Amino acid sequence: LTGNLLIDRNNRAKAHGTIAEVVNAFKKRNISFWMFPEGTRSRGRGLLPFKTGAFHAAVAAGVPIIPVCVSNTSNKINLNRLNNGLVIVEMLPPVDTSQYGKEGVRALATHCRELMSSHLGPLMGDNLRVIAGGSRRERLEQEGVMVNGVRHHFNIVSPEETCGQDYPDLAIIITKFPALSQALEDMRNQIGPDTLIMAPLNGVEAEEKVAAVYGWDNLLYSLAKVSVVMKDGCASFNPKAARIEMGEKHNETVSPRVQAVKELFEGAGIRTVVPEDMERAIWYKYMCNVSENQSAAVLGIPFGAWSVSADANFIREKLMREVIAIAQKKGIDLSEKDMEKQASVLKDVPPKNKPSTLQDIEAGRKTEVEMFGGTIIRMGRELGVPTPYNEMFYHGIKVLEQKNEGLF
């Protein structure tokens, strides 16, 4: 009834035939076609990679392309509700396709996607700012960030820039733990009296470091659970297996500000959990990180090793028990049951994925070993808890770092 032409991507011949119909319609009927180059709904994941069919058709027909940007509708449309709020549609200037031949279709698709990507941020009204200075800022502005095959460009502001009291509602710190102190200084000009702050970093001391600078009143506890593979500058992960855990220190009742942040994340397609005890949740993750990151880095093993090797698990569990002993001294309720729980979780991690410390060693980067083994050793001495396994793996990783630095 509406003249829709559906492309069967599972049948190459039919797909080419449909594109030919579009080209003929352009030429004979002088009409416009609305085409969706992503090929599927993004469901809050941002702009997806573009298929080339629409661009092949435009080049073959010799017609311009008018990019159309639409503000986020993920989790915002309810057909049973009379007032669904505001959706903004913006048409960009026409893109001349005459300079692109058949061999330039991919370049045309990339050009149009970059045009749309640069307009979507302001259009969606999210005022997202990424703080970065020096060469890092230049790299982010020129190259963006590649995540799951999609290149993202953000509004980059330097640490020296002020926001004219247009303070954000939420600030998220996502550096490596050793860079936290510098990040807290770099963000000063962007933090207002009512800005909520989250630092979902590895370790158990991030919240204390943030509070020492900005106070406890606007701080939310948080952690990220995601297995990320970094390769050739691209971060890859499974969104369905990833989640953010966040909240107040205790969440028997979910506070309005926690609920608001949870809704924000879920509206962006980020699975979000509010544990009843955030402090315990952070220590549970720390127990896993200390044992898995350190043993994997020294032994050079991926996650799959713990599903098949009793010897690898023996080492991992010895490291875990030292963390549990320290946590219990601090009044954190970790136990052997948590070790059993994590053993089950590891079975669902892609077996070839590698913990971040092993990835750092293989890439010649500095690791977070001071925050892992270094912190456990320090706390153990303060509390009278022996930590021989952490001491051994801590020094093992330090030797690997020295090797990467060319010391020997």
Side-chain angles (χ1 to χ4, degrees):
L1 294 176
T2 62
N4 285 358
L5 292 175
L6 304 179
I7 296 177
D8 185 355
R9 292 200 301 271
N10 295 321
N11 188 316
R12 190 178 182 85
K14 284 186 178 180
H16 284 175
T18 305
I19 294 298
E21 288 185 57
V22 173
V23 173
N24 289 334
F26 276 136
K27 293 179 176 179
K28 291 182 179 180
R29 299 168 58 192
N30 193 30
I31 61 174
S32 297
F33 272 87
W34 186 304
M35 303 185 75
F36 299 87
E38 293 172 282
T40 188
R41 295 177 178 86
S42 67
R43 302 190 187 281
R45 292 173 290 166
L47 200 59
L48 300 182
F50 280 2
K51 311 292 184 184
T52 57
F55 305 96
H56 275 292
V59 169
V63 297
I65 293 173
I66 300 177
V68 180
C69 298
V70 182
S71 61
N72 187 20
T73 60
S74 178
N75 295 326
K76 293 184 178 180
I77 300 298
N78 182 349
L79 296 179
N80 294 320
R81 187 171 59 195
L82 181 61
N83 183 0
N84 274 293
L86 179 67
V87 175
I88 303 172
V89 180
E90 180 178 336
M91 291 181 287
L92 307 186
V95 175
D96 182 10
T97 62
S98 62
Q99 59 182 309
Y100 297 91
K102 184 177 180 181
E103 301 301 320
V105 166
R106 172 56 64 186
L108 174 61
T110 299
H111 174 62
C112 289
R113 190 184 182 284
E114 289 178 348
L115 284 175
M116 296 175 70
S117 178
S118 65
H119 280 75
L120 275 173
L123 181 64
M124 293 170 72
D126 53 15
N127 289 320
L128 176 64
R129 314 164 199 170
V130 174
I131 302 172
S135 60
R136 180 173 175 79
R137 176 176 184 168
E138 292 178 6
R139 186 174 71 254
L140 288 172
E141 289 179 334
Q142 293 173 8
E143 302 175 10
V145 178
M146 184 74 78
V147 181
N148 285 348
V150 179
R151 190 174 301 279
H152 299 271
H153 289 272
F154 302 106
N155 173 26
I156 311 296
V157 299
S158 69
E160 297 77 24
E161 292 182 57
T162 62
C163 58
Q165 296 191 335
D166 181 22
Y167 297 117
D169 296 317
L170 176 66
I172 306 174
I173 306 169
I174 53 172
T175 62
K176 287 274 192 177
F177 190 84
L180 176 57
S181 295
Q182 185 61 52
L184 293 172
E185 184 61 32
D186 289 347
M187 63 195 282
R188 280 189 183 276
N189 287 335
Q190 301 292 326
I191 304 301
D194 299 316
T195 302
L196 295 177
I197 303 175
M198 293 172 52
L201 311 184
N202 289 331
V204 291
E205 297 180 316
E207 280 73 20
E208 291 180 8
K209 286 185 174 292
V210 175
V213 178
Y214 294 104
W216 289 100
D217 289 348
N218 291 345
L219 178 67
L220 293 179
Y221 287 71
S222 59
L223 63 89
K225 286 192 174 180
V226 55
S227 178
V228 179
V229 175
M230 291 294 300
K231 185 177 181 181
D232 299 327
C234 178
S236 302
F237 72 100
N238 179 4
K240 294 181 179 179
R243 71 175 183 268
I244 288 284
E245 296 185 14
M246 50 78 63
E248 312 290 354
K249 186 175 182 179
H250 299 287
N251 299 281
E252 291 84 358
T253 301
V254 177
S255 68
R257 66 182 191 173
V258 169
Q259 183 62 33
V261 174
K262 183 175 186 290
E263 291 176 1
L264 171 69
F265 286 161
E266 291 181 339
I270 301 170
R271 192 156 63 100
T272 308
V273 175
V274 181
E276 191 169 298
D277 187 338
M278 268 305 307
E279 190 174 34
R280 184 185 187 283
I282 288 172
W283 270 88
Y284 175 89
K285 181 188 175 184
Y286 188 53
M287 173 191 70
C288 302
N289 275 340
V290 166
S291 59
E292 293 157 17
N293 274 274
Q294 292 190 118
S295 59
V298 172
L299 300 173
I301 58 176
F303 279 101
W306 294 303
S307 294
V308 297
S309 172
D311 300 297
N313 277 306
F314 175 88
I315 294 169
R316 181 179 64 86
E317 290 170 1
K318 288 293 186 180
L319 289 162
M320 294 176 94
R321 287 191 175 96
E322 291 179 1
V323 179
I324 290 174
I326 290 172
Q328 290 178 344
K329 283 274 189 176
K330 287 179 168 288
I332 310 298
D333 184 25
L334 288 184
S335 68
E336 294 277 328
K337 290 183 179 180
D338 294 299
M339 291 174 52
E340 295 171 6
K341 175 183 175 182
Q342 183 61 11
S344 177
V345 170
L346 287 172
K347 295 177 182 178
D348 295 326
V349 178
K352 292 185 179 181
N353 280 18
K354 300 174 182 179
S356 61
T357 305
L358 175 56
Q359 294 186 54
D360 289 339
I361 290 294
E362 291 180 341
R365 297 187 294 260
K366 292 288 287 186
T367 73
E368 294 182 294
V369 69
E370 293 294 343
M371 178 269 296
F372 291 136
T375 298
I376 285 298
I377 294 166
R378 169 171 54 82
M379 288 183 173
R381 289 171 180 169
E382 292 170 351
L383 298 169
V385 176
T387 57
Y389 280 89
N390 273 278
E391 289 190 32
M392 181 178 68
F393 278 87
Y394 167 84
H395 289 291
I397 293 171
K398 296 296 284 187
V399 170
L400 292 173
E401 288 184 335
Q402 292 162 4
K403 179 181 178 182
N404 282 340
E405 292 166 358
L407 184 62
F408 47 82

